[in-house]
Each structure stands twice: as C-alpha cells, then as structure tokens.
C-alpha cells in the first residue's frame, strides 16, 4: 500500500474494497490474510469459513471469513458474489440449436462415469455438445472446468504439454501431470482426440488411475479404449432440429430468410441429404446469400449422387462430410480458395495480420474482403474478445485446407510466409518484453499465438535454424513468465544440437543458461559453454545482450558464500550496467539483478539495497511485472540480510502477488518459501505451515526432487511446532 496525498492505493486496498462490496450491513468480512493477522481474537469471537470466491479484477480466488460474536448479527443474505469456477471455455460465436436430449444424455453419463467419450463423424457437433454440457456442470467442479483442445497438437509427444498448458500448469511428464491434479476436483473437456488417440489414452488412463476427483469428457472419432470409459455416439440432428439450425444460420447471412410452406420440402431435403450433420448444414446455409434453398437442394442432389447409398462405417460418413466440404470449396472463387488453403498453416487461430502475411494478395483491404467472405460462408470463424477479432478454422476445415495446400506448389511458400510473420512478431515481442513496452498486452498476444509459435519454430528448425533462434529469444520472457522454462530449455537444447554458428549459436547458448537457471541448479558446463560463446554475441545486432550476459556470468561464476569472489565480480557488473543504460529502463532493470546478488553476497548491503530499489523503480516505470516480481524478491533478500523481517515480508508478498498474476511458478515458490521462513522465525508456525502447503504442488511440478524434499522437511517441522503451540 502506498500513500498518495491524503489517500492510499495498492492491490490490498483494491482487494479490500471488493471484499467490502460482497457483504451486507453489519457483516464483518475479511480475507484469509486478514484473519491470520487478527490474532488473538477477543473472548467469544470467532471466524466462520465462507469458502473461496472470485473477486472482480483480483487474479487469485480469495478465501473469505465472517467474524462471529454474541453481540453481532449472525444471519445474513448470501454474499454478493458466487463461488465462481475457474474455466477456459470459449464463448460460442453462434447460438446452440436443439440437442436437448443429447445434452441430457451426456450429463447423465457424466454423473455415472468419470470418463465419457463423445464419438461421431466430423462435423456432427461433438464439440458443441461437450462444451454446452461442461458449461452446465461448473457448480459440480470446484477446482475448475477446462478445455484441452488437441486440435492444435500435431506431435503426440506434446499432448501432455497441451493438458498442462490448458490449466496453466508447468510442463512435465504424464506422471507429473497426474501428481499436480491428484487432489483437484476438475472437469476436463478433451477435444479432438482422434489424431493423437494413443497419447490422449495414455494421459486419460493415468488421470483415471491416480486422480479420483478428475472427470474427463472427451470428443473423438473413435473411443479412447480406456478402462471405465463410457462411449456415446452423437446421432445426426432430428429433422426438426436440422431445420431450426439451417433456419438460424440462414438468417445470419440473409436476414429475410424464413422457412415457409413453399420451401419447407426443400429445407427438409437439404437436411436429409446432408445427414443432418451440423457442419454440412452451416455450409449449405452460407450459400443462401446467392442461391435459393431450392437451388441448394438441387445441387446437393447432383453432388451426392454417388454417396446416396449405405453410410455404415466411419469411412462412409467421413466421405459424406468430405463431399460437403468439397462442394463448398468448389463454390469459392480462386482467390478465396487460395487463401483458405494457406490459412490451414495456422494452429490455434490467427489475426487479420497473420492472414495478410500468408495471403498471395498484397493489398490488405483485398485480404480483409476475402477473410470476410470466408467468415460469411462459415469456413472461417470470427471470435470477438476485448473489442478485437481473432479468426480460426474449424479443425475439419483446417485439415481439408492443409490437404489441398499439399496438392499445390504453394506449401513451402505458405509455411515460409507464416514463419516470416512469426519472426517479425517475435521481434516486436522482444523489443517490448526485453527493452520496455506493454508487457501485459504482449503476454496475452503470445498466449494467443502459442500454437503458431510452436508450429513456426518446428518449421524453422528444419529450414532456417537462425529464425528459430530469433523466435525463441523473442518469446523468452513469455515462456518464463508463464512458467514454461522447461519447454524453453528443451527448445534451446534442440537448437544447440544442430549446426548453429556465430551469434545464433551464442544466443541459443545464452537462452539455455537462462532457462536452466529457472528450472534447477545451473550446470557448470552450461556456464563454461556460455562464457566461450559470449564474445560472439557482439554480432547479434543486440548491443545490450553481451554486457548483460557478462554480468550474469560474473554473478553465477563463484560458489555461494564466497564473499571475496563476489566482491571481485562487482566491477564487471557495474561496467555492464553502464554499457546497457542507453538501451532503456527495462534492460537496465534486468541487469540490476546480478548487481544485487554480487553486492549482497559481498556483504555490501547498502549498495545491494540501492540497486534493488533502482530495479523496482525501473519495473514500476515500465510496467514490467516480470522484472517487478524478481526485484521485489531481491529486495526482500536484502531486507533479511539487514535484519528487517517486516520489510522483507512486505517485499516478498508483493513479489508473490506479481508472480501469480503472470503464472510465474519459479518466483512464486521462492517468495513463498522466504515468507515461510520469516513466519517461522517469528513463531508463526501455523502461517509458515499454510504457506508451505500452498506451494507443494507447484514445487513438485517444476522443481528438482531435492527442492521438493527441502519443502517437505520444512513443512513437517512447522506442522509439528504448530501442533505443539496450538
């Protein structure tokens, strides 16, 4: 909390206001933090646990308590909040039509089985039904309802990472994932399993065996084959629901469309001939801007003549959908066909700028017109969020577009164009995240593009490794801030296993060192390799990187506790700082961190405090939460060394709040452990116990085994002391 004139501001003030607005007259509400501080309570007073609640604009759920006392009113209406369920379910761009019985059936199956797989042909509506059921189930799953979209996954080896990323968990093995979720009551909607069915089955099996409170609702063209699985096949729409769907979608492209007695027979024929598959009906409705429903019915009769027989078996149903997509594709003009094919390279959606990058047309307005026409024809979906539009292809359409692209000589040009766009995007992210910019905006944007980042990185590895280095360097802070340093370390090592040379080699080695520092002890060989390649950084076109690297190498090149060598490293860090100052406050702030370390290790507390304060000021001035959390943590360490536990707690708590806001596991763990040590030193063993308990899962997910054992040992000690002292 900070004083500004005659008022105070800060996250705690904001949170207190939200807590206040949740209560009623005469009701005393506090957060768990405040309840811990209000010790001891007066005689007759106590706390009533009201559970965790989501407060507006507060990044984490807040545990609320009500003060009880004989002189206070005891009964109040429900809080002006609801115990919200965390979820990442997307808002649907169009209305949900029919499927009442189907939703009821899947809901009943979920109540009886922990794994329900919804199967059926592509485009039959598996995803829409699953998402609708999941949205209705939020009250049952207190720890969240999450969509795990495997449509983005092309490599079965990354299925586990997709599960973890969907829940903002650090990457790891399938066993790590199950360990992280063993006590969580969640519903996972695992969508589009068919192309990675074996990998999805492995994850589902592990979760079913080890996580008794986890429920899975999967969609796939075939069952997962997991013991205990309940399989339900989605039937086609009824004629009534098919008619209603065609009517609704037709009105979205032609406002005056209506099902009448005159055209009802043609509408019913369209529904019947397309097997009442929702995707096929939507494609048909898209043509009603230029054709009558009778004309559409006439074309379908000609197009599907060879497919009018038996539809037994998945292959026949797939061919029916293929014919529907072929028909729609054939009706596109050459420019629309070309763009649709090229849009297939995008994984997880794309922006208009991305479409412009891969399009053949040079005129942005021409590309916009093409995209708009594809949206109108239901081949591209436009999702609005925060006042902006992001586009995506339904997975069936994306695969179709890729297959068509592979039949042309454009496939390399399209992937190269996507790669060039991602390199440019990574460069802009690098400028903002390394040198100062709108950090929150860029972290969100890279979140949106993560599927494309991975796709472009993989393409670059085999075609332009230097571009892969540029992408990884540009997204380094994003990966770290989102708790994905292990993934970044893997990417770095894959780069280093290739034939990189010069500045690209040096940058890849630097990235490996930085990612390694966030995932465990740094291997001395990594430091040695980075020192060998550091002189090559001068050719990277980033003049601030080499001095910054030298400063970190100086800080990491002596044993902990060696004050003499720490003091000897101070001049190197100070020279690096002066070399970096012309490149902006954020670069300066990043370099101030090793300066704090070496001065602290050398026992120069005043200098360490001064550098930490300058770093915190730089973070505040640039709005860089990545640096803010780290410098707050460094300031807390200085406070501990200076014997000021109150200041240390304040700075560590601020670092923790900031790290949690971005999902940065490493800083959150270190800050929490520091706070636990401070609480234990003050005899607040119960507080220390609760703090250590809160990080057991993230420690187990992201840190080496020895760190986990240290936390467990501290937790056992604090728990025993808390029990002894009551």
């Amino acid at each position: 909390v900070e004083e500004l004139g005659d008022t105070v501001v800060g996250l705690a003030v904001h949170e207190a206001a939200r807590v206040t607005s949740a209560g009623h007259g005469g009701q005393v509400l506090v957060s768990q933090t405040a309840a811990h501080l209000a010790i001891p309570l007066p005689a007759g007073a106590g706390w009533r646990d009201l559970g965790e609640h989501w407060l507006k604009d507060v990044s984490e759920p807040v545990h609320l308590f009500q003060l009880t006392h004989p002189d206070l009113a005891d009964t109040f209406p429900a809080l002006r909040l609801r115990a919200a369920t965390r979820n990442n379910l997307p808002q649907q761009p169009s209305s949900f039509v029919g499927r009442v019985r189907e939703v009821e059936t899947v809901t009943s199956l979920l109540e009886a089985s922990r794994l329900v797989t919804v199967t059926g042909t592509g485009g039959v509506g598996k995803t829409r039904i699953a998402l609708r059921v999941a949205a209705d189930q939020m009250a049952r799953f207190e720890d969240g309802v999450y969509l795990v979209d495997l449509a983005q996954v092309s490599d079965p080896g990354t299925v586990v990472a997709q599960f973890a990323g969907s829940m903002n968990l650090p990457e790891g093995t399938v066993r790590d994932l199950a360990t992280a979720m063993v006590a969580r009551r969640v519903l996972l909607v695992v969508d589009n399993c068919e192309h990675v069915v074996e990998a999805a089955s492995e994850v589902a099996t592990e979760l079913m065996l080890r996580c008794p409170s986890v429920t899975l609702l999967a969609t796939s063209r075939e069952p997962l084959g997991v013991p205990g699985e309940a399989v339900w096949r989605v039937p086609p729409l009824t004629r009534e629901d098919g008619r209603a769907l065609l009517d609704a979608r037709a009105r979205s492209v032609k406002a005056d469309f209506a099902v009448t007695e005159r055209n009802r027979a043609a509408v019913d024929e369209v529904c019947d001939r397309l097997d009442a598959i929702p995707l096929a009906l939507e494609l048909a409705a898209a043509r009603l801007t230029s054709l009558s429903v009778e004309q559409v019915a006439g074309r379908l009769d000609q197009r599907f003549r060879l497919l009018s027989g038996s539809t037994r078996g998945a292959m026949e149903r797939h061919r029916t959908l293929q014919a529907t997509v072929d028909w729609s594709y054939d009706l596109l003009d050459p420019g629309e066909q070309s763009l649709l094919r090229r849009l297939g390279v995008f994984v997880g959606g794309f922006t208009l700028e991305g479409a412009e990058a891969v399009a053949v047309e040079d005129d942005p307005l021409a590309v916009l017109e093409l995209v708009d026409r594809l949206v109108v024809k239901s081949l591209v979906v436009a999702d609005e969020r925060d006042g902006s539009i992001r586009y995506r292809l339904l997975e069936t359409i994306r695969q179709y577009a890729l297959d068509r692209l592979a039949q042309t000589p454009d496939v390399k040009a399209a992937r190269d164009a996507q790669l060039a766009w991602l390199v440019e995007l990574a460069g802009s992210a690098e400028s903002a995240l390394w040198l100062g910019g709108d950090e929150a905006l860029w972290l969100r944007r890279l979140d949106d593009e993560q599927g494309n980042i991975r796709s472009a990185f993989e393409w670059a590895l085999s075609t332009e490794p230097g571009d892969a280095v540029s992408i990884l360097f540009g997204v380094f802070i994003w990966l770290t801030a989102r708790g994905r340093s292990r993934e970044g370390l893997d990417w770095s090592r894959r780069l280093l296993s290739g034939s990189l040379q010069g500045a690209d080699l040096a940058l890849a080695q630097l990235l490996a060192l930085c990612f390694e520092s966030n995932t465990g002890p740094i291997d001395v060989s990594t430091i040695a390799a980075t020192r060998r390649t550091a002189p090559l950084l001068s050719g990277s076109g980033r003049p601030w990187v080499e001095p910054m690297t030298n400063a970190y190498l100086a800080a990491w090149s002596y044993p902990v506790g060696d004050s003499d060598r720490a003091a000897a490293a101070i001049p190197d860090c100070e020279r690096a700082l002066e070399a970096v100052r012309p490149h902006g406050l954020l670069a300066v702030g990043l370099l101030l961190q090793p300066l704090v370390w070496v001065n602290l290790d050398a026992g120069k507390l005043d200098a360490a405090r001064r550098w930490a304060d300058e770093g915190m000021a730089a973070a505040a001035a640039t709005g860089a939460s990545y640096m803010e959390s780290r410098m707050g943590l460094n300031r807390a360490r200085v406070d501990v060394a200076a014997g000021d536990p109150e200041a240390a707690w304040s700075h560590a708590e601020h670092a923790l709040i900031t790290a949690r806001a971005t999902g940065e596991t490493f800083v959150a763990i270190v800050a929490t452990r520091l706070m636990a040590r401070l609480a234990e030193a003050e005899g607040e063993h119960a507080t220390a116990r609760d703090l250590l308990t809160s990080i057991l899962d993230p420690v187990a997910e992201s840190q080496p085994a020895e760190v986990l054992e240290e936390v467990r040992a501290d937790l056992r000690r604090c728990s025993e002391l808390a029990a002894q002292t009551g």
Side-chain angles (χ1 to χ4, degrees):
V1 174
E2 298 178 7
E3 293 186 7
L4 294 178
D6 59 353
T7 188
V8 291
V9 297
L11 293 174
V13 177
H14 175 75
E15 183 175 319
R18 295 301 187 191
V19 173
T20 300
S21 66
H24 304 272
Q27 185 178 27
V28 180
L29 294 179
V30 299
S31 67
Q32 186 176 43
T33 302
H36 280 313
L37 294 173
I39 300 173
L41 289 174
W47 295 120
R48 175 171 299 152
D49 190 342
L50 301 181
E52 287 192 337
H53 296 265
W54 288 96
L55 306 182
K56 184 179 180 182
D57 300 327
V58 177
S59 61
E60 293 293 322
V62 177
H63 204 139
L64 297 180
F65 293 83
Q66 176 185 315
L67 182 67
T68 61
H69 188 273
D71 294 337
L72 291 177
D74 188 64
T75 303
F76 297 93
L79 296 180
R80 296 186 179 96
L81 298 167
R82 66 183 181 90
T85 299
R86 183 188 291 267
N87 76 90
N88 68 344
L89 302 183
Q91 291 188 354
Q92 296 303 311
S94 57
S95 59
F96 187 83
V97 178
R99 297 297 200 187
V100 174
R101 290 183 180 179
E102 290 85 346
V103 169
E104 291 176 350
T105 300
V106 176
T107 300
S108 297
L109 289 171
L110 273 182
E111 293 173 353
S113 176
R114 289 179 43 233
L115 171 59
V116 175
T117 301
V118 177
T119 66
T121 188
V124 78
K126 302 183 295 292
T127 298
R128 290 298 298 267
I129 292 173
L131 291 175
R132 180 57 176 259
V133 171
D136 293 341
Q137 293 289 304
M138 289 188 182
R140 284 185 55 200
F141 297 93
E142 59 192 30
D143 294 320
V145 176
Y146 296 93
L147 172 64
V148 183
D149 188 0
L150 299 183
Q152 302 183 27
V153 176
S154 57
D155 178 5
T158 63
V159 166
V160 177
Q162 190 71 9
F163 271 79
S166 298
M167 291 171 284
N168 290 323
L169 297 174
E171 67 276 16
T173 65
V174 63
R175 181 58 62 91
D176 295 333
L177 177 67
T179 300
M181 298 180 62
V182 69
R184 301 190 184 193
R185 183 174 176 81
V186 300
L187 171 63
L188 302 181
V189 181
V190 189
D191 197 27
N192 294 293
C193 299
E194 55 270 2
H195 60 300
V196 286
V197 66
E198 291 184 4
S201 298
E202 179 186 358
V203 176
T205 300
E206 189 74 5
L207 294 178
M208 289 284 285
L209 289 174
R210 300 189 58 214
C211 305
S213 297
V214 172
T215 299
L216 296 97
L217 176 56
T219 73
S220 178
R221 297 187 187 182
E222 61 180 292
L224 300 186
V226 175
E229 178 185 26
V231 179
W232 181 75
R233 182 175 295 278
V234 181
L237 290 166
T238 64
R239 175 179 285 185
E240 291 72 22
D241 283 346
R243 184 189 300 150
L245 178 63
L246 184 63
D247 181 44
R249 298 300 181 261
R251 289 175 186 272
S252 69
V253 298
K254 189 176 182 181
D256 60 351
F257 179 83
V259 178
T260 65
E261 288 300 322
R262 185 181 62 82
N263 66 12
R264 186 182 300 274
V267 169
D268 288 345
E269 182 180 354
V270 170
C271 293
D272 293 343
R273 299 296 276 171
L274 292 179
D275 296 329
I277 293 174
L279 175 59
L281 294 177
E282 294 190 357
L283 292 169
R287 296 312 307 164
L288 294 178
T289 56
S290 55
L291 296 174
S292 69
V293 68
E294 290 84 357
Q295 289 174 312
V296 170
R299 291 186 70 92
L300 288 177
D301 184 57
Q302 297 169 7
R303 171 59 71 175
F304 293 119
R305 184 174 300 164
L306 294 176
L307 301 174
S308 61
S310 172
T311 58
R312 291 193 300 269
M315 181 58 68
E316 283 78 10
R317 284 189 294 272
H318 175 73
R319 288 173 60 192
T320 299
L321 179 61
Q322 180 73 41
T324 304
V325 181
D326 276 339
W327 167 77
S328 182
Y329 179 83
D330 290 343
L331 291 177
L332 299 177
D333 67 37
E336 292 168 343
Q337 290 180 343
S338 174
L339 181 60
L340 182 64
R341 290 195 302 266
R342 287 169 170 257
L343 292 177
V345 303
F346 288 107
V347 181
F350 55 93
T351 61
L352 182 59
E353 292 78 11
E356 292 169 355
V358 302
V360 174
E361 292 78 5
D362 293 328
D363 181 3
L365 289 178
V367 177
L368 173 60
E369 175 63 23
L370 287 172
V371 171
D372 183 64
R373 296 209 301 259
L374 292 174
V375 171
V376 169
K377 296 173 183 179
S378 297
L379 291 167
V380 171
V381 177
D383 296 317
E384 183 173 356
R385 188 186 67 186
D386 299 329
S388 62
I389 298 293
R390 184 170 177 82
Y391 303 94
R392 58 186 171 88
L393 301 181
L394 297 177
E395 181 56 20
T396 300
I397 302 299
R398 191 178 81 86
Q399 291 297 330
Y400 181 88
L402 281 175
D403 290 343
R404 284 283 187 168
L405 182 65
Q407 299 168 16
T408 73
D410 294 342
V411 58
K412 184 178 185 303
R415 291 200 175 276
D416 285 346
Q418 185 203 30
L419 172 59
W421 179 67
L422 261 298
V423 170
E424 182 179 353
L425 183 73
S428 299
E430 174 187 326
S431 178
L433 297 177
W434 283 96
L435 299 178
D438 191 334
E439 180 192 70
L441 172 66
W442 277 99
L443 291 179
R444 289 195 302 271
R445 184 162 186 190
L446 294 178
D447 286 341
D448 288 340
E449 301 297 347
Q450 57 184 297
N452 291 320
I453 291 169
R454 293 188 176 99
S455 175
F457 181 84
E458 294 294 336
W459 179 254
L461 273 179
S462 60
T463 58
E464 296 290 343
D467 286 345
V469 174
S470 297
I471 289 174
L472 186 53
F473 194 85
V475 303
F476 165 78
I477 289 179
W478 168 69
L479 285 170
T480 306
R482 293 308 194 219
R484 298 177 183 175
S485 290
R486 286 190 181 277
E487 182 177 4
L489 181 59
D490 176 65
W491 289 9
S492 302
R493 289 171 173 169
R494 292 176 66 191
L495 283 168
L496 291 172
S497 67
S499 56
L500 292 175
Q501 296 181 349
D504 288 335
L505 173 63
L507 285 172
Q509 185 60 59
L510 171 62
L511 289 167
L513 174 69
C514 294
F515 283 125
E516 194 171 304
S517 72
N518 288 328
T519 57
I522 304 174
D523 194 286
V524 293
S525 64
T526 306
I527 294 177
T530 307
R531 182 175 287 109
R532 287 195 302 272
T533 58
L536 300 174
L537 291 170
S538 60
S540 69
R542 302 169 177 88
W544 48 275
V545 172
E546 184 178 6
M548 185 176 293
T549 301
N550 292 334
Y552 276 90
L553 286 172
W556 282 331
S557 296
Y558 60 84
V560 175
D562 191 332
S563 59
D564 291 338
R565 292 184 64 181
I570 292 175
D572 291 337
C573 293
E574 290 179 340
R575 282 193 296 271
L577 175 63
E578 294 310 310
V580 165
R581 281 197 185 279
H583 301 287
L585 278 177
L586 187 52
V588 169
L590 290 169
L591 199 145
L592 288 170
Q593 184 165 242
L595 259 172
V596 175
W597 295 342
V598 295
N599 279 279
L600 185 59
D601 291 342
K604 300 180 181 296
L605 298 186
D606 288 341
R609 184 182 296 108
R610 184 176 70 254
W611 294 127
D613 286 343
E614 183 177 342
M616 293 175 68
T622 57
S625 58
Y626 172 84
M627 182 172 68
E628 183 179 0
S629 61
R630 281 167 166 71
M631 295 311 298
L633 182 58
N634 287 320
R635 186 64 163 82
R637 288 167 168 163
V638 175
D639 295 330
V640 170
D644 190 348
E646 184 175 349
W649 178 281
S650 176
H651 287 119
E653 185 176 38
H654 184 69
L656 174 61
I657 292 171
T658 308
R660 281 178 172 172
T662 62
E664 188 173 357
T665 307
F666 177 74
V667 172
I669 289 172
V670 177
T672 303
R673 293 185 71 189
L674 190 153
M675 292 169 67
R677 290 196 296 272
L678 291 170
E680 186 178 5
E682 294 294 322
E684 299 290 344
H685 303 298
T687 300
R689 175 200 61 203
D690 293 344
L691 285 165
L692 293 169
T693 300
S694 72
I695 61 169
L696 270 183
D697 283 347
V699 169
E701 294 158 6
S702 62
Q703 300 299 300
E706 55 268 26
V707 175
L708 177 60
E709 187 50 44
E710 290 175 6
V711 173
R712 285 175 172 165
D714 290 345
L715 179 58
R716 287 193 294 269
R717 182 180 65 255
C718 291
S719 298
E720 292 170 359
L721 291 171
Q724 293 171 10
T725 58

